[in-house]
Amino acid sequence: GTGRTATEQDADETIGKIREMLSVIFSHDIAQAIRIQYGGSMNAKNADGLMAMPQIDGGLIGGASLKAEDFSLIVKAADVQKKL
């Protein structure tokens, strides 16, 4: 709810570390199968960049989901990256 977003690289690196820990605890295959979403402020302006990151499987959408045009841009970003 702060409206502040981590850099795309920071978010990707953090999720990558989480995936590494899952790999250690469970297995590489399970770690790769688990969908990990970015939980910051994903919106129409940053969705393309965040969704392009290899470790980010999706995002939690807050206020942007209340604006149809903004939400459609986020959905399109996910579709372009084949993360729907």
Side-chain angles (χ1 to χ4, degrees):
T2 66
R4 295 180 359 188
T5 306
T7 68
E8 298 158 359
Q9 294 77 18
D10 285 345
D12 194 59
E13 182 179 325
T14 300
I15 290 174
K17 296 289 184 193
I18 293 168
R19 204 173 300 280
E20 285 177 24
M21 290 305 302
L22 291 170
S23 185
V24 169
I25 295 168
F26 300 105
S27 73
H28 174 77
D29 290 342
I30 289 174
Q32 294 305 309
I34 292 176
R35 296 181 59 89
I36 303 175
Q37 297 183 344
Y38 173 68
S41 297
M42 187 178 284
N43 56 51
K45 293 179 184 176
N46 63 23
D48 280 330
L50 287 166
M51 294 302 284
M53 295 289 105
Q55 296 295 331
I56 297 174
D57 296 319
L60 300 176
I61 314 304
S65 67
L66 301 175
K67 301 173 189 166
E69 185 175 338
D70 287 356
F71 188 64
S72 70
L73 293 172
I74 296 166
V75 171
K76 286 178 185 175
D79 186 43
V80 165
Q81 298 301 326
K82 306 294 186 238
K83 295 186 178 183
L84 283 178

